[in-house]
Amino acid sequence: MSKTFDLSLTERSRLEQVEGIIFDIQRYSVHDGPGLRTNVFFKGCPLHCGWCANPESQSMQPELVLSEVNCISCGQFETPCPICWAEQGESGWSREQLEEFDERTAICPTGAIHWIGERRTAGDIMREVRRDAPFYAEGGGLTLTGGEVTMQPDLAEALLRLAQAEGISTAMETCGHTRWPVLERLLPYLDHILYDLKQVDTETHRKFTGLGNELILDNLRWLVAAKAPLTIRVPLIPGLNASAEPMRAIAGFVRDLGDSRLSIHLLPYHTLGQSKYKALGRTYPWAEHDRLMTDEVNTLARLVESYGLMVKVGG
Amino acid sequence: MINIESTDNVQSVMKEIPEPTTGFPPEVWHSTRPSTRAARIKQQLLANERQIDVERARFATESYCATEGESMVIRRAKLLLHLVRSMSLAIGPDEVIVGNRSLLPRMGVIAPEGAVDWVDKELEILPTRPQDRFNISAEQIRELREDIFPYWRGRTLEDIVATRVPDDVRIAVRGKAFSLNQTDHAQGHILPSVENWLRLGVGGLRDKVLAARQQPEAQSQAQQQFYEAALIALQAAAELMQRYARLADQLAAESSDSARQHELQEIAAVCDWLAEHPARDFREALQGIWFLFVLLQIESNASSFSPGRFDQYMLPYLERDLESGQLTLEQAQELLEYLWLKFNEIVLLRSSSSARYFAGFPIGFNLVVGGQKTDGSDATNLLSYMCLRAQADLGLTQPNLSIRLHQNSPEAFLRAASFVIGRGSGMPQVFNDEVIIPGQLNRGIAPEDALNYAVVGCVELSTPGKALGWSDASMFNLTRVLELTLFGGKDSQTGEQIGLATPPLDRMHAFDELEAAYDQQLAHFVALMVKGCNIVDSIHAEIYPSPFLSLVIEDCIERGLDVTAGGAHYNFSGVQGVQIANVADSLAAIKQAVFDEQWLSAGDLLTTLRTNFAEQEVLRQRLINRVPKYGNDDDRVDQHAQKWGDRYSTLVEQYPTIRGGVYQPGFYTVSAHVPMGANAGATPDGRLAGTPLADGGLSPTAGRDKRGATAALNSVSKLNLELASNGTLLNMKFLPMFFEGSEALKKFTLLLRGFCQLHIPHVQFNVVSVDTLRQAQANPEEFRSLVVRVAGYSAYFTELDKELQDEIIRRTEFSDVG
Ligand code: SF4
């Protein structure tokens, strides 16, 4: 059930002009909220998780991507792009390299080399989201995801309010690493919050994501107190939390939040993002880990269940 | 085994599924498999090598020799009578529902009155040709060549068509602007009134004919001949059933198994009863239906006699038997599945070229369940579910199972259908009342008939028992006509002037001029197509009267007029526009590259197309990747699809047919996108010369729709598809993951609901993994029962030729991973 807020015409046109950077709009998503959804992927994230399946979501800047399978070695350049696509260092490519690549994006016949990340207005994004309205029955609608949505609160608020004004149900996925007032500001416009919880132990969290989890845990407590429509999502990452000890800590933490409506969705690690690292000129940091076996996932699901929590595998 | 107790019960069980769970459908559909006996029949059916049948050709020759000089309608009736008296019959060891139109299942029957020339040419290659193979012996070849074919030369439909098609039409056909169909066999494509057949029986129909014969306004010689023919046809029907009864008696006498003996005696009793009387119960009705379709096939040997709304007309028989306790639901399901197996026993022998258009022996027993009653209320009933269940159990290619959806279709029905779709047989295909019914009304169909529409063959829309839709009159190659337009009406290779002499692209200064020229060429070729179709239609009336079929099409008896001569209550001709995706993508490319952004000159484009992109791969890739494509909900290109799809529709619908009624457009190709692509040169959308067009009819070009299922559906919905009242086809391919578990199924039903709102008449889903298909290509033996969708119907994957297999593998997958 989506809450509807009326918008004045001036307010609507102001919201429609709010801009931000996104890297994809994925239609007909069967995950990330109830029903069928249109996912808007925000670009930029405060965390840098090694297992991230959307590495292109991490930086807030547009980035160059080379998808090698699409390169036909068109012969327009002395050296085909894949060969100059040396691994990108910490500081990225040099200015000259960037200019050179930029030129190539303009004339690459297949689009194999292209920029990812685009500044778009909320009005423009909503035009696309709206097109799938016939499919939003039974709670389907717009999901903001990323990247980290809360890094662009203006765009997030604009999209959520525009959607709600049209009766489109809203959801947001967040890593929780943001200041509380940001969440507080978005909360009224959200029908669902998919809240990521990766680790309860602060040091481990810092080690693997680059930042501690104090904000994340605090925000979660506050959201529970505010009776926010929460679902907790735990990515099951081998090497981080896909074992008994960390899962016990997570399950215990959630149980102690004391909200019996809370359910936990376990999202098993997959390696589908691996090829994206190469396309961005980076190396995949989590390479040494294997996919999880169904059995392992089920064992962990039972463990979480034993804490009296509702569990679902997949999102 | 099933233990559904009532519709309500099924629905409640389906509603109760706790969500999420992976156990859908729960206990009632827990394991879907046929009964042991049905499984055995299925296995025998699939193991069967297809043979050529010479009997029909032999007896047809005898009959035609004996009836020379008589009126054609009588000759056709006598042909039917001679055939049912002479043909060899068999009853299989496991059969309960009996009858076939040839001795063995799946025989390739030759009907010489349609054509002998192509058969003669292909006799030697029938066992080895790429598509639809049949075994044939040296003696059979000899008999056909020496004793049969000589009589027919010059008298066949094919030969007569060849002498009557005028030059202007011939040039257009040879120039591949359109094809003329139904030129070598009877045309079929019709929904007989199964309801009347069951309700009246042979005797009741005879009474009707006898009464009609007395009408003062039915005294012309032609009418009286029609009635006489109709009576002979009914005699033939009765005799066929009686012959099966005697055969069953004989087998019973020979059998040492007392259970089987008893069964055979029952079979004999059912056949004897049906030879005169209406069906009384579910089993008799099933057997009666099958005799109807066997007889129609013996008479005509044609594609697509379709059973229509089976769940509606069969429900009373089922309900009565369930109430009286004569049948349990389990028994009823098993009987139903015997009929399902029977629908797979008739295949159509086609020429190599026709087999490319309609690959995999589609015979078009389209059976539709669900939808609305004539009062507009939901029509879904217990039998609708049982039919879905039969498809899940058997996973065969026939009947071509379809569902009708509307805004108020029950959730459980959508779920059950989604479950069966997820099994990957490509069925049921999905039809949308919300756009089809208004489309039928728009053609002047009465409201109660529009609400009662059913599907013929693959996707063609028609009124059961009342219409000759002639739905496969022609395929019009919109892509080829665009290609001709670019070259000023000339063939790009030979320079031959095929269309009007409009200016070529390199003499145009604006995109408007191209559109104007295309419009002229379309109007020109549509007129020629209609001219050609009318000629073919009139020849059918002359040499292919179908008195038996006319008995089950209203108003033939009342009017004393054969169905081929216009006796049906509604008459149409359907012509398909092929292929919207290539036209839209090509026009978008020209507009952007040549006129708007001007990075490609018209002259260079023409040269490139003429030379099939030789040394121009970079340009080709640019045209493919840097120009928007149909199927992505992008108005820049979808506007062309909408404009030219609708234009084709309005051009077509202005023409009357010679039987009354009008031409109506459709957008579907079955597998014809392969040969029709072979007929078109390179196109500005980056398609290479001779390669397949987009598949289906309204589908985006394979691999070019990259924004997910909803975007593709949105693109398609921009056309005014109410006008495409002959039928449309949209293929979507899904990975099995979209159907795994209850929650996934639930989400799939939401896609169906959205589809229903979008006013797209039809969609079908190919759910299969690419790996499975590759494996099947490598090891056909292990995958004989693997069913896939080839645009508009299901076929066995292993029975398709390699090119089509590859094509299926390439189709876009709507995968949401990553
Ligand atoms: S421009 Fe594109 S096709 Fe050409 S070499 Fe670079 S990536 Fe490959």
Side-chain angles (χ1 to χ4, degrees):
Chain A
M1 189 47 75
S2 97
K3 317 159 197 165
T4 347
F5 287 77
D6 286 338
L7 286 178
S8 70
L9 275 178
T10 41
E11 184 65 351
R12 174 191 291 272
S13 80
R14 185 189 69 78
L15 292 173
E16 281 177 344
Q17 279 157 35
V18 174
E19 240 187 41
I21 183 166
I22 64 168
F23 69 89
D24 197 12
I25 297 180
Q26 184 194 67
R27 295 163 66 166
Y28 187 53
S29 167
V30 295
H31 300 128
D32 305 307
L36 300 180
R37 314 205 62 88
T38 299
N39 294 347
V40 176
F41 286 88
F42 281 51
K43 195 156 162 33
C45 184
L47 308 182
H48 278 77
C49 308
W51 59 85
C52 182
N54 293 324
E56 75 277 36
S57 74
Q58 293 171 337
S59 156
M60 273 195 88
Q61 299 308 314
E63 286 172 276
L64 275 167
V65 175
L66 172 66
S67 135
E68 227 181 298
V69 285
N70 292 331
C71 170
I72 55 162
S73 298
C74 61
Q76 300 188 100
F77 310 105
E78 221 164 284
T79 348
C81 307
I83 293 178
C84 15
W85 203 251
E87 219 161 79
Q88 194 183 165
E90 272 295 300
S91 49
W93 284 296
S94 69
R95 239 195 120 70
E96 296 73 44
Q97 278 174 309
L98 272 179
E99 274 166 20
E100 165 72 23
F101 282 136
D102 186 38
E103 246 170 64
R104 293 185 178 205
T105 61
I107 56 172
C108 174
T110 64
I113 179 163
H114 62 271
W115 286 100
I116 193 162
E118 207 185 347
R119 290 195 71 79
R120 289 174 72 169
T121 63
D124 179 34
I125 293 167
M126 281 308 295
R127 255 190 297 284
E128 191 164 343
V129 172
R130 200 175 290 133
R131 283 173 180 264
D132 279 346
F135 301 95
Y136 294 153
E138 307 194 27
L142 168 68
T143 297
L144 305 184
T145 180
E148 177 49 39
V149 177
T150 56
M151 283 182 83
Q152 302 180 66
D154 292 344
L155 178 64
E157 185 194 327
L159 288 171
L160 295 173
R161 290 181 63 189
L162 287 167
Q164 287 216 325
E166 296 181 24
I168 295 175
S169 161
T170 58
M172 173 178 82
E173 192 237 326
T174 177
C175 72
H177 188 91
T178 186
R179 291 174 305 111
W180 170 247
V182 172
L183 289 174
E184 207 177 17
R185 177 178 160 198
L186 300 180
L187 196 51
Y189 314 115
L190 279 164
D191 298 315
H192 305 278
I193 299 175
L194 309 168
Y195 199 96
D196 290 3
L197 186 58
K198 303 173 178 75
Q199 252 296 342
V200 172
D201 180 72
T202 303
E203 278 323 300
T204 321
H205 195 276
R206 191 187 312 281
K207 181 172 161 211
F208 287 104
T209 71
L211 291 170
N213 60 1
E214 299 88 340
L215 265 178
I216 296 172
L217 299 182
D218 282 350
N219 283 335
L220 185 50
R221 288 188 195 99
W222 276 326
L223 283 170
V224 170
K227 303 216 180 324
L230 273 175
T231 297
I232 293 178
R233 305 216 296 185
V234 181
L236 286 183
I237 311 296
L240 171 81
N241 62 10
S243 53
E245 211 37 57
M247 289 311 289
R248 270 193 204 109
I250 288 171
F253 179 86
V254 175
R255 181 194 53 198
D256 295 346
L257 290 169
D259 184 340
S260 59
R261 298 165 312 140
L262 280 183
S263 67
I264 293 194
H265 292 183
L266 301 179
L267 311 181
Y269 168 75
H270 62 77
T271 53
L272 295 167
Q274 205 162 351
S275 58
K276 293 182 175 176
Y277 284 85
K278 196 167 171 225
L280 287 161
R282 303 189 209 156
T283 43
Y284 184 52
W286 215 247
E288 67 272 23
H289 298 280
D290 292 333
R291 287 188 62 155
L292 290 166
M293 299 288 120
T294 315
D295 281 358
E296 299 173 74
V297 175
N298 289 342
T299 311
L300 294 174
R302 277 196 298 274
L303 188 151
V304 177
E305 240 162 17
S306 72
Y307 282 72
L309 296 164
M310 285 180 285
V311 181
K312 179 181 149 192
V313 176
Chain B
M1 112 130 203
I2 65 164
N3 42 33
I4 309 175
E5 257 150 47
S6 75
T7 322
D8 283 340
N9 208 351
V10 181
Q11 294 180 3
S12 64
V13 173
M14 287 176 182
K15 267 185 212 140
E16 272 164 29
I17 316 144
E19 213 161 342
T21 162
T22 49
F24 178 85
E27 54 273 31
V28 280
W29 285 21
H30 180 61
S31 70
T32 52
R33 69 173 85 87
S35 69
T36 323
R37 186 195 286 214
R40 207 157 54 218
I41 301 175
K42 176 181 168 182
Q43 203 179 19
Q44 286 158 0
L45 189 70
L46 295 179
N48 209 305
E49 294 240 1
R50 290 182 305 275
Q51 313 281 345
I52 283 291
D53 163 276
V54 181
E55 282 193 352
R56 189 182 194 286
R58 183 190 305 144
F59 301 135
T61 312
E62 286 173 11
S63 176
Y64 266 56
C65 285
T67 59
E68 267 183 45
E70 299 182 46
S71 85
M72 193 46 97
V73 72
I74 302 234
R75 294 183 76 187
R76 295 293 296 168
K78 288 187 174 171
L79 166 69
L80 179 64
L81 186 60
H82 186 57
L83 287 171
V84 305
R85 285 177 175 169
S86 321
M87 61 186 274
S88 313
L89 309 184
I91 293 177
D94 277 310
E95 284 189 342
V96 175
I97 305 287
V98 302
N100 203 334
R101 57 91 172 253
S102 56
L103 178 64
L104 301 173
R106 294 164 74 75
M107 283 181 105
V109 166
I110 298 166
E113 63 271 42
V116 295
D117 270 1
W118 74 257
V119 193
D120 193 354
K121 276 186 215 119
E122 294 195 13
L123 285 177
E124 277 80 11
I125 61 160
L126 281 173
T128 55
R129 60 187 195 164
Q131 188 67 56
D132 296 7
R133 299 185 190 118
F134 290 89
N135 291 338
I136 186 166
S137 73
E139 168 51 24
Q140 286 178 312
I141 294 182
R142 190 210 57 75
E143 183 185 353
L144 287 166
R145 285 228 170 98
E146 292 177 16
D147 305 342
I148 296 174
F149 291 167
Y151 172 78
W152 293 98
R153 295 236 148 72
R155 303 170 196 248
T156 66
L157 175 64
E158 189 182 36
D159 294 347
I160 297 171
V161 169
T163 60
R164 295 215 198 143
V165 170
D167 282 346
D168 51 356
V169 176
R170 195 184 310 277
I171 289 169
V173 170
R174 212 181 45 218
K176 312 294 186 192
F178 54 83
S179 65
L180 289 181
N181 298 349
Q182 318 307 332
T183 55
D184 60 10
H185 51 80
Q187 79 90 33
H189 292 90
I190 200 161
L191 295 158
S193 177
V194 183
E195 207 172 337
N196 284 352
W197 170 256
L198 293 178
R199 190 169 47 82
L200 298 173
V202 171
L205 284 168
R206 192 187 303 114
D207 293 345
K208 215 176 144 186
V209 174
L210 290 173
R213 183 156 84 158
Q214 306 301 329
Q215 303 171 97
E217 61 277 20
Q219 298 306 315
S220 76
Q221 192 194 12
Q223 285 167 313
Q224 289 296 313
Q225 280 168 347
F226 169 80
Y227 290 125
E228 190 187 335
L231 293 173
I232 298 171
L234 283 168
Q235 172 69 19
E239 286 191 23
L240 181 73
M241 296 183 234
Q242 284 155 355
R243 282 194 67 201
Y244 274 104
R246 297 296 73 77
L247 177 60
D249 281 340
Q250 181 196 329
L251 290 172
E254 289 163 8
S255 174
S256 53
D257 172 349
S258 68
R260 181 61 181 163
Q261 224 168 20
H262 179 69
E263 265 180 13
L264 285 161
Q265 284 157 357
E266 266 178 23
I267 290 171
V270 169
C271 294
D272 267 331
W273 177 263
L274 289 172
E276 177 63 19
H277 307 286
R280 290 166 298 190
D281 58 23
F282 190 63
R283 175 187 171 168
E284 284 180 358
L286 291 170
Q287 178 67 69
I289 290 177
W290 184 238
F291 276 134
L292 169 64
F293 285 98
V294 165
L295 282 157
L296 288 168
Q297 282 295 345
I298 295 175
E299 178 178 65
S300 295
N301 184 49
S303 169
S304 303
F305 292 106
S306 298
R309 302 191 76 186
F310 182 89
D311 62 338
Q312 303 305 301
Y313 57 73
M314 284 297 279
L315 186 68
Y317 298 95
L318 177 69
E319 280 182 340
R320 223 175 298 148
D321 287 5
L322 292 178
E323 256 163 52
S324 71
Q326 185 175 334
L327 279 182
T328 64
L329 245 171
E330 191 184 342
Q331 290 166 329
Q333 182 75 32
E334 187 166 345
L335 283 170
L336 178 75
E337 294 184 7
Y338 293 151
L339 177 65
W340 252 237
L341 288 158
K342 276 291 177 190
F343 281 125
N344 290 277
E345 284 196 6
I346 294 182
V347 298
L348 193 62
L349 170 68
R350 297 172 190 268
S351 64
S352 290
S353 76
S354 171
R356 274 163 64 80
Y357 282 76
F358 304 96
F361 311 104
I363 190 73
F365 289 118
N366 198 307
L367 189 152
V368 63
V369 299
Q372 293 164 72
K373 297 182 187 164
T374 49
D375 63 3
S377 64
D378 178 62
T380 312
N381 63 41
L382 173 61
L383 253 175
S384 323
Y385 291 93
M386 288 172 69
C387 291
L388 287 170
R389 174 61 195 258
Q391 181 58 30
D393 283 352
L394 292 165
L396 289 166
T397 57
Q398 295 292 333
N400 192 351
L401 183 64
S402 307
I403 58 169
R404 280 178 47 176
L405 289 190
H406 57 99
Q407 302 281 8
N408 300 318
S409 290
E411 184 65 20
F413 184 56
L414 264 70
R415 287 189 156 225
S418 300
F419 170 77
V420 180
I421 288 169
R423 303 290 292 251
S425 70
M427 288 191 256
Q429 41 180 345
V430 186
F431 290 84
N432 186 353
D433 285 7
E434 303 301 337
V435 55
I436 290 172
I437 291 169
Q440 298 291 303
L441 291 171
N442 181 43
R443 293 281 170 241
I445 305 273
E448 66 276 16
D449 289 337
L451 280 156
N452 193 38
Y453 82 87
V455 187
V456 173
C458 301
V459 296
E460 302 93 295
L461 309 168
S462 193
T463 312
K466 284 189 177 177
L468 176 54
W470 204 285
S471 47
D472 184 27
S474 170
M475 295 225 177
F476 186 96
N477 200 330
L478 293 162
T479 314
R480 169 67 174 161
V481 173
L482 177 61
E483 187 204 356
L484 290 169
T485 308
L486 299 179
F487 290 92
K490 293 183 178 151
D491 184 275
S492 71
Q493 303 302 309
T494 64
E496 188 194 355
Q497 188 75 41
I498 292 163
L500 299 172
T502 49
L505 184 68
D506 54 358
R507 301 239 308 279
M508 294 175 179
H509 307 98
F511 186 68
D512 296 0
E513 292 175 41
L514 172 59
E515 293 198 302
Y518 188 41
D519 199 79
Q520 280 178 22
Q521 299 282 5
L522 284 178
H524 169 72
F525 284 117
V526 165
L528 287 175
M529 169 175 69
V530 167
K531 188 172 170 183
C533 289
N534 282 341
I535 290 167
V536 174
D537 201 332
S538 68
I539 300 173
H540 276 260
E542 209 175 299
I543 71 167
Y544 251 131
S546 310
F548 181 75
L549 171 61
S550 301
L551 288 163
V552 283
I553 298 295
E554 297 170 30
D555 313 321
C556 296
I557 298 180
E558 292 79 354
R559 298 166 64 187
L561 192 59
D562 192 87
V563 64
T564 57
H569 187 75
Y570 298 115
N571 283 284
F572 295 102
S573 275
V575 290
Q576 288 35 277
V578 179
Q579 205 71 296
I580 283 298
N582 300 96
V583 168
D585 290 352
S586 293
L587 287 171
I590 297 171
K591 183 164 190 300
Q592 182 177 329
V594 178
F595 293 107
D596 293 352
E597 296 174 1
Q598 304 190 0
W599 43 265
L600 177 61
S601 78
D604 286 352
L605 175 60
L606 291 184
T607 310
T608 303
L609 296 178
R610 192 180 290 119
T611 56
N612 195 20
F613 291 101
E615 324 237 326
Q616 291 290 345
E617 185 59 16
V618 172
L619 171 59
R620 193 175 86 88
Q621 290 294 337
R622 191 163 286 144
L623 289 169
I624 292 175
N625 296 296
R626 315 246 14 190
V627 172
K629 292 286 178 285
Y630 170 74
N632 297 288
D633 198 6
D634 185 332
D635 295 338
R636 289 173 298 170
V637 53
D638 294 346
Q639 61 172 337
H640 300 297
Q642 180 260 321
K643 175 167 182 177
W644 294 103
D646 293 354
R647 181 64 184 136
Y648 175 73
S649 294
T650 52
L651 277 171
V652 162
E653 67 183 5
Q654 61 182 334
Y655 291 99
T657 79
I658 58 167
R659 284 170 283 108
V662 292
Y663 277 80
Q664 54 179 354
F667 295 102
Y668 68 83
T669 59
V670 191
S671 58
H673 60 292
V674 177
M676 296 194 79
N679 290 341
T683 37
D685 56 349
R687 191 191 125 272
L688 292 170
T691 58
L693 302 177
D695 73 59
L698 293 171
S699 314
T701 298
R704 309 264 166 93
D705 49 328
K706 295 177 174 157
R707 302 209 55 85
T710 58
L713 286 169
N714 275 324
S715 278
V716 176
S717 75
K718 290 171 196 173
L719 281 80
N720 180 357
L721 296 172
E722 270 182 27
L723 297 181
S725 48
N726 189 51
T728 66
L729 199 158
L730 170 64
N731 271 321
M732 298 189 121
K733 191 175 181 193
F734 282 78
L735 291 176
M737 62 187 287
F738 282 88
F739 300 87
E740 281 158 10
S742 171
E743 194 181 352
L745 280 180
K746 169 73 211 169
K747 298 219 170 180
F748 191 77
T749 66
L750 295 174
L751 187 74
L752 292 178
R753 293 263 185 227
F755 155 80
C756 212
Q757 280 192 44
L758 278 178
H759 285 217
I760 300 170
H762 163 275
V763 65
Q764 67 184 30
F765 302 97
N766 206 339
V767 183
V768 70
S769 81
V770 168
D771 286 350
T772 312
L773 293 180
R774 293 233 167 81
Q775 270 175 289
Q777 261 186 327
N779 305 309
E781 284 312 311
E782 292 170 43
F783 294 92
R784 286 263 182 249
S785 62
L786 181 65
V787 175
V788 295
R789 267 292 178 192
V790 186
Y793 62 95
S794 284
Y796 295 103
F797 184 79
T798 54
E799 287 184 356
L800 299 175
D801 68 18
K802 173 97 177 11
E803 198 185 347
L804 266 176
Q805 290 180 341
D806 288 341
E807 167 67 18
I808 285 172
I809 291 175
R810 270 197 306 274
R811 278 189 208 160
T812 318
E813 290 168 13
F814 292 108
S815 156
D816 73 337
V817 280

